[in-house]
């Protein structure tokens, strides 16, 4: 009888323990800014897999989808308001909330350098105040943005391009830069670009090489301008209130995986970017290389546009950010 009672008690304690452990596992809802087949979404899904593996029984991520769930331009606000726990989204998509986020694209330093010199901590503070966000990682950072054109660019004597001939699709991040070059700029989300190219509404597009082909845009844009400009600025972040509610164990798992994946994704994108560029070149895409003064002016205006816009929107942190993010 005593043995049976002990067994029953033991089984009850085990069941209670299992139920408690199950109840303590937290599920975070997440969304990403590109369609699932795009390289950036695929990279985020790898991050999710790594968190779910390391966080079994403690913290898990449930991906709800991409632009079909929340448009990229609304992800930052949705996270701030707690409608979604975690987002994978470029800082440039919600500069109206955190204008200082532009520093990630303007930066001449790697994420690792910025973490070591205090830049990451400063941005963590800014995102907490302005976006109700906790930053986890600056991922897929090993590349820049490219300009793609339907026709061969019209070169000039300075080694540059007659930019006035381009009607280019832009994101808010690089609108000011393109306007400073003299282009006709049309801001539109990625989902509308294919039709705009097909109908001739635009004759140029800007996007990283990484993931470009997955949209089918290379069917129309047969030229790519080099060099690239800016640095890709994809951030994985969480609603700060949700982050603060997590257990120390869950926070540690997310932090550890984020640090590892930040470096892992940087190395992976450098190789994958080169591979995807070669695929498009092998299929007929040609390169227009800026040279001499034309190249220098292009890069100088790119750098100036970012810092000018940050200064105009909120100059509070700009002096600190220049010291921490710029060589």
């Amino acid at each position: 009888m005593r043995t049976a009672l002990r067994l029953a008690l033991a089984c009850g304690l085990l069941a209670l323990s299992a139920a408690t452990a199950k109840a303590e596992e937290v599920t975070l809802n997440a969304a990403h800014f590109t369609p699932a087949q795009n390289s950036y979404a695929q990279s985020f899904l790898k991050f999710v897999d790594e968190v779910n593996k390391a966080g079994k029984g403690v913290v898990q991520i449930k991906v709800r989808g991409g632009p079909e769930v929340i448009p990229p331009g609304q992800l930052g606000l949705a996270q701030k308001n707690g409608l979604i726990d975690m987002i994978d989204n470029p800082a440039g998509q919600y500069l109206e909330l955190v204008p200082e986020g532009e520093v990630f694209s303007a930066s001449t330093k790697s994420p690792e350098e910025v973490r070591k010199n205090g830049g990451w901590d400063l941005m963590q503070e800014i995102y907490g105040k302005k976006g109700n966000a906790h930053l986890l990682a600056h991922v897929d950072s090993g590349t820049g943005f490219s300009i793609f054109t339907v026709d061969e660019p019209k070169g000039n004597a300075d080694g540059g391009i007659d930019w006035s001939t381009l009607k280019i699709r832009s994101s808010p991040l690089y609108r000011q830069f393109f306007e400073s070059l003299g282009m006709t700029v049309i801001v539109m989300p990625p989902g509308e670009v294919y039709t705009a190219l097909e109908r001739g509404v635009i004759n140029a597009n800007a996007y990283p090489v990484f993931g470009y082909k997955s949209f089918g845009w290379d069917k129309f844009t047969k030229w790519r301008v080099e060099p690239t400009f800016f640095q890709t600025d994809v951030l994985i972040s969480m609603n700060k209130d949700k982050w603060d509610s997590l257990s120390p164990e869950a926070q540690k798992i997310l932090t550890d995986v984020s640090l590892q994946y930040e470096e892992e994704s940087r190395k992976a994108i450098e190789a994958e970017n080169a591979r995807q560029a070669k695929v498009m070149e092998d299929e007929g895409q040609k390169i227009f290389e800026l040279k001499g003064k034309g190249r220098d002016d292009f890069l100088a205006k790119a750098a100036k546009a970012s810092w000018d816009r940050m200064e105009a929107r909120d100059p509070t942190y700009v002096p600190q950010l220049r010291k921490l993010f710029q060589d």
Side-chain angles (χ1 to χ4, degrees):
M1 179 69 71
R2 288 180 180 176
T3 302
L5 184 60
R6 287 172 182 159
L7 285 171
L9 182 59
C11 288
L13 289 172
L14 285 170
L16 179 61
S17 176
T20 302
K22 185 175 181 180
E24 288 176 351
E25 184 179 84
V26 176
T27 298
L28 305 172
N29 294 313
H32 46 81
F33 72 103
T34 63
Q37 74 272 16
N38 182 267
S39 300
Y40 285 102
Q42 290 298 307
S43 176
F44 178 61
L45 295 177
K46 289 179 184 177
F47 167 80
V48 170
D49 288 343
E50 292 188 16
V51 169
N52 289 347
K53 182 178 178 181
K56 190 172 183 181
V58 181
V59 61
Q60 298 285 283
I61 301 172
K62 175 69 175 177
V63 179
R64 297 302 179 183
E68 75 282 1
V69 175
I70 304 174
Q74 297 176 23
L75 280 171
L77 186 60
Q79 178 178 258
K80 180 179 181 179
N81 294 336
L83 298 177
I84 195 78
D85 299 322
M86 179 183 291
I87 61 173
D88 170 65
N89 198 36
Q93 291 283 9
Y94 50 115
L95 296 177
E96 74 284 354
L97 289 179
V98 191
E100 294 86 354
E102 190 156 7
V103 78
F104 287 108
S105 61
S107 177
T108 57
K109 296 181 182 293
S110 70
E112 182 181 10
E113 291 174 303
V114 168
R115 284 186 182 272
K116 288 180 179 178
N117 71 12
W120 183 261
D121 292 336
L122 177 57
M123 290 305 294
Q124 190 74 269
E125 177 187 340
I126 293 170
Y127 268 84
K129 289 178 180 177
K130 295 189 174 184
N132 190 29
H134 176 82
L135 300 179
L136 288 171
H138 177 190
V139 294
D140 306 326
S141 62
T143 186
F145 296 89
S146 292
I147 293 173
F148 298 83
T149 65
V150 172
D151 301 312
E152 180 178 1
K154 184 180 179 182
N156 60 33
D158 290 335
I161 288 172
D162 180 1
W163 301 109
S164 67
T165 62
L166 299 184
K167 294 183 296 181
I168 191 165
R169 172 265 169 185
S170 174
S171 81
L173 177 66
Y174 29 84
R175 176 176 186 164
Q176 186 170 327
F177 168 45
F178 289 168
E179 288 176 342
S180 74
L181 291 173
M183 302 183 198
T184 299
V185 180
I186 302 173
V187 175
M188 66 175 70
E192 298 176 14
V193 175
Y194 187 95
T195 301
L197 285 167
E198 186 176 44
R199 295 178 178 176
V201 175
I202 56 176
N203 63 4
N205 187 21
Y207 201 80
V209 166
F210 185 70
Y212 191 86
K213 186 175 174 60
S214 68
F215 288 103
W217 300 332
D218 57 311
K219 175 182 177 182
F220 307 101
T221 49
K222 298 303 182 182
W223 288 82
R224 185 174 80 244
V225 178
E226 293 289 345
T228 60
F229 64 96
F230 294 175
Q231 178 178 188
T232 50
D233 58 339
V234 180
L235 302 177
I236 299 176
S237 59
M238 279 189 61
N239 171 274
K240 190 175 185 302
D241 298 327
K242 188 68 175 182
W243 169 262
D244 290 341
S245 75
L246 297 178
S247 69
E249 184 181 9
Q251 290 182 348
K252 186 177 187 305
I253 289 168
L254 286 163
T255 299
D256 290 348
V257 173
S258 296
L259 283 168
Q260 177 183 325
Y261 194 73
E262 188 173 80
E263 180 62 21
E264 180 183 322
S265 68
R266 181 176 177 85
K267 292 177 180 177
I269 197 175
E270 288 172 350
E272 184 61 15
N273 196 72
R275 187 194 70 81
Q276 292 186 22
K278 187 176 186 305
V279 168
M280 290 191 288
E281 289 167 31
D282 289 345
E283 293 177 353
Q285 192 172 83
K286 298 178 181 179
I287 309 301
F288 187 101
E289 186 78 33
L290 298 176
K291 297 178 181 179
K293 186 176 182 298
R295 178 190 179 96
D296 293 342
D297 288 349
F298 175 80
L299 295 174
K301 286 183 177 178
K304 186 176 186 299
S306 294
W307 292 106
D308 283 354
R309 184 157 60 173
M310 279 188 276
E311 185 84 42
R313 285 178 165 176
D314 187 345
T316 306
Y317 298 99
V318 170
Q320 291 171 270
L321 293 172
R322 281 186 181 275
K323 292 178 182 178
L324 297 169
F325 284 82
Q326 197 173 39
D327 290 324

